[in-house]
Amino acid sequence: MRIDAEAIYKRFGDEFVALDDVTLHVPEGSLTALLGPSGSGKSTLLRIMAGLETPDSGVVRIGGRDFTDARPQERGIGFVFQHYAAFTHMSVYDNVAFGLKIRKRPKAEVRAKVDELLELVGLTQWGGQRPHQLSGGQRQRMALARALAIEPRVLLLDEPFGALDANVRGELRRWLRRLHDEQHVTTVLVTHDQEEAMEVADTVAVMNKARIEQVGSPRDVYDRPATDFVMSFLGPISKVDGKLVRPHDVTIFLAEEPGTIEAMVKRVVHLGFEVRVEVEVPDGSRATAQLTRQRTEELELAAGDIVYIRPPSGSGPDTVRVADSAVGQTRTADPQST
Amino acid sequence: MVVRPFWRYSLRTVALAYLAVLLIGPVVFIFIKTFEHGFETAWSYVTTPAAVSAFWLSVLIAAIAVPLNTIFGVGTAIVLIRSKARGRRLLDALIDIPFVVSPVIAGLALVLVYGINGWFGSWFADHGIQIIYAPAGMIIATVFVSLPFCVREVAPVLMEVGTEQEQAATTLGASSWQTFWRVTLPSIRQGVAYGVVLTTARALGEIGAVAVVSSNVLGSTVSLPLLVKYRTTTPGPGGITAAYATGTELAVMSLIVLLAMTLLSPQRKDAR
């Protein structure tokens, strides 16, 4: 079901404003990532959707119905916490069965549903174990199965892979994406990892300082960032001629061309397939260009060389349109097609 | 810091000697003294009518004080750790009053409040209820002195467990009551068990506050600790040796509770 958070304002204590008039529309069946640095308000927004926090003002609708003052129990949501929040005194099976037992479903139905979910998350053999006997990745899959057991209308994930190793994280991301493609539950994922957001989500909402800066598809926010912040948060940046650019969009020439700036190569850093070239322009400011290894060898670049650099035309936040923060209006993506 | 072997062994010796002299020695001594004249003699001392009456009075006191303070303790710990209500600090400080006030003073305060001329005493007296110099007063006194144990054991555990499991239960549809029984209580049961052990030990062993509100009549208002004291001051065969037997009886009772609680709440090895 779609989720609409409108004009949400939330303050903690007297000083800290966590959400300042935030509006976000999550279309039905989408996987939306709330991406931002810590303290940007992304977790608070998710917890307000779940009913774990109450907004000072604003409205939360799930499937069009006003749930602003509803308790978490009434919302029919699945919530997954960063640190699993496993019920430590229960077996894996009982963890997954918890929501169904609370709903007093018949035993046979509970068993069938839990067995199905344990199979889905690959924990069939672990049903009798305690959560502490599982690895981190297994525990988080158990938490997902537990959240899915109640057949939630929406699935809310709060930094679900934040506590895991890089390998396991990548594996779980792909697994989550597959799961979403099979189940189509409207999902909101909170993360501070832009790679994770780009890889998993079909829509990314970039947050900074209690506000949403831009909402769009991963390519949108990367290629057409609405603000300097979005540009800098989503990938490496460099400043050329006072303009923010991506280093891989900077071109290097050995002779002067139209629109180029003279620069001296200060350092050439080999990063496997790619090469980072650090240059200094006459006014003393530094810029970075990222080239392929082949291109660098063709140019025979070395520290001390004089080169001519050209920033990309039409790049940088000042030249792009500011995307509407309402996903549904700027983009009516069909999530199944991704 | 590097500690030379000489000092390391010296420190250990001192620590062990300290424990031996102050802790283990007296307990072992009482045990030996109890069975000095054989098991039969010791058994006869703990089965006199006065001793049986004292045993049941102590059991009654513990049976009322322990559940009361456990329920109150868990409830108060939840208020202290989970709620954001005003007055939490004050409550936190009040809980410790029984720890800082001498039990004798506590007993005297009860006499002032519940005695015949006390604030509530006359009302109870009019309704034919005697509190001071009766078992009721001894129970109230015991509840008072053993009140903080459970709170102080449960509160840190509750803090450490955190709120995530409870929040997870809530999102899965559990009511506050269901969350408490199915998630909170099982995760703090170790703290509760230890709180129960300490409360029971104190309830069985309390003498100061209880002595003030007891009429010291054998067979009616003498609990086991009071019987020990009575017997130590009585000359002859029913005296000091009988007191040792009663002391051992008390120790065994506390040990049984400790053992029972240990068996009921197996150690958890995981952190999360």
Side-chain angles (χ1 to χ4, degrees), chain A residues 34-42 191-194 204-215 221-222 224-237 244 246 316-318 320:
Chain A
L34 297 179
L35 174 67
S38 53
S40 59
K42 55 194 192 306
T191 179
H192 63 262
D193 179 343
Q194 90 283 355
V204 179
V206 185
M207 294 192 68
N208 183 35
K209 293 182 181 156
R211 289 172 178 277
I212 292 182
E213 301 240 335
Q214 190 178 3
V215 181
V221 291
Y222 188 86
R224 290 193 294 281
T227 64
D228 283 0
F229 174 79
V230 174
M231 174 127 189
S232 62
F233 198 74
L234 281 167
I237 47 157
L244 276 184
R246 299 260 180 243
D318 48 345
V320 300

Side-chain angles (χ1 to χ4, degrees), chain A residues 152-173:
Chain A
R153 290 183 283 197
V154 297
L155 190 57
L156 307 175
L157 314 171
D158 191 1
E159 302 252 8
F161 312 133
L164 303 170
D165 300 342
N167 291 343
V168 185
R169 203 154 58 211
E171 192 184 304
L172 270 187
R173 274 182 207 159

Side-chain angles (χ1 to χ4, degrees), chain B residues 70 74 150 153-154 185 188-197 261:
Chain B
T70 305
V74 172
C150 206
E153 284 307 317
V154 172
L185 196 57
I188 60 168
R189 63 176 178 210
Q190 208 119 34
V192 176
Y194 199 54
V196 166
V197 169
M261 293 321 279

